[in-house]
Amino acid sequence: MHSERTSLFVSTREASAVPQASRGDDGPRIEDRYSREVSLTSLVRGEAVGVRSKPLVLTLAICASLAAESRPQAFFADDFVQAHNSYREQLGLPALAWSPQLAARAQQWALYLIQTGSFGPRRDGVFGENLYEISGGYSSPAAVVAAWMSEGRNYNRNTNTCSARCGHFTQVVWRDTRFIGCAVARDRSREIWVCNYDPHGNVQGERPY
């Protein structure tokens, strides 16, 4: 068994950028709770590995697999770009390109979260950010993006509202976003994936596409 959770950051311009969740639904209401940023997290509980050891850092050149096989950075980047663009193409949205600068920024934050044993968004609001954590297991770029895209079932395009959390989905498919950079870090008990987006999505009053 393993546990998973995701987190996204809504920046200053995005304070209520995630479409409003309808009242009376079974999911959490997403609303403008803070003037500068909103941290939204979800947790699917499971049996996680309980012993933590000294972090073993995965760089962009390491594939998140049980064997922890080494893979060239180009393959890692291609996997994330392809995972994002396959969904965007279905909606007729422009393709995203890889940014080494955003990837380096994502790597820095992933390492920080592993080293501090914490989980949450960077709070500077410069770029869009999606987070994914798995404990007691391993993931992949395709699986991580699929987890974020699964929130699409909660989004109603006609009303631009959410019946539950959908901000990870709207960031992945935000029309005006052009660049992504992603990274992963891992210790013996958990793995954290981070993607940064430029320009950021989830802008108040706008539709994702």
Side-chain angles (χ1 to χ4, degrees):
M1 296 289 293
H2 62 262
S3 66
E4 302 174 9
R5 58 178 171 173
T6 57
S7 177
L8 71 155
F9 177 73
V10 182
S11 76
T12 303
R13 288 205 302 146
E14 307 163 341
S16 60
V18 181
Q20 301 296 311
S22 303
R23 292 187 182 276
D25 54 63
D26 294 330
R29 179 170 178 79
I30 302 175
E31 55 190 355
D32 184 358
R33 296 183 180 179
Y34 307 102
S35 60
R36 290 188 58 82
E37 65 266 344
V38 181
S39 173
L40 305 173
T41 60
S42 64
L43 173 64
V44 179
R45 297 189 180 278
E47 183 180 350
V49 176
V51 179
R52 175 162 303 170
S53 60
K54 184 177 180 180
L56 297 177
V57 173
L58 282 184
T59 67
L60 290 177
I62 304 299
C63 173
S65 66
L66 277 173
E69 294 180 5
S70 252
R71 299 181 68 193
Q73 180 176 338
F75 283 100
F76 182 98
D78 287 347
D79 287 348
F80 259 118
V81 170
Q82 181 178 352
H84 280 77
N85 287 341
S86 64
Y87 291 110
R88 293 174 66 89
E89 183 179 7
Q90 294 174 29
L91 297 173
L93 301 173
L96 301 179
W98 185 259
S99 165
Q101 293 78 17
L102 289 177
R105 173 186 171 88
Q107 186 72 80
Q108 180 186 43
W109 191 243
L111 294 176
Y112 171 81
L113 295 176
I114 284 291
Q115 291 166 355
T116 59
S118 56
F119 183 76
R122 189 190 297 262
R123 298 182 180 277
D124 58 13
V126 178
F127 301 105
E129 183 175 83
N130 279 355
L131 272 62
Y132 176 92
E133 178 189 67
I134 181 169
S135 298
Y138 302 88
S139 195
S140 67
V144 169
V145 177
W148 294 332
M149 286 297 297
S150 69
E151 296 178 1
R153 63 179 177 269
N154 302 325
Y155 176 67
N156 185 320
R157 188 182 181 192
N158 292 329
T159 60
N160 198 36
T161 58
C162 299
S163 61
R165 180 170 293 106
C166 70
H168 300 91
F169 162 77
T170 53
Q171 175 58 87
V172 171
V173 300
W174 198 264
R175 178 183 297 276
D176 293 337
T177 297
R178 291 293 181 267
F179 299 96
I180 60 166
C182 307
V184 59
R186 186 181 76 188
D187 63 16
R188 293 192 181 278
S189 63
R190 66 183 189 137
E191 189 175 78
I192 293 180
W193 300 75
V194 180
C195 280
N196 285 154
Y197 301 82
D198 184 32
H200 63 69
N202 294 335
V203 179
Q204 182 177 2
E206 297 185 14
R207 294 176 181 270
Y209 58 92

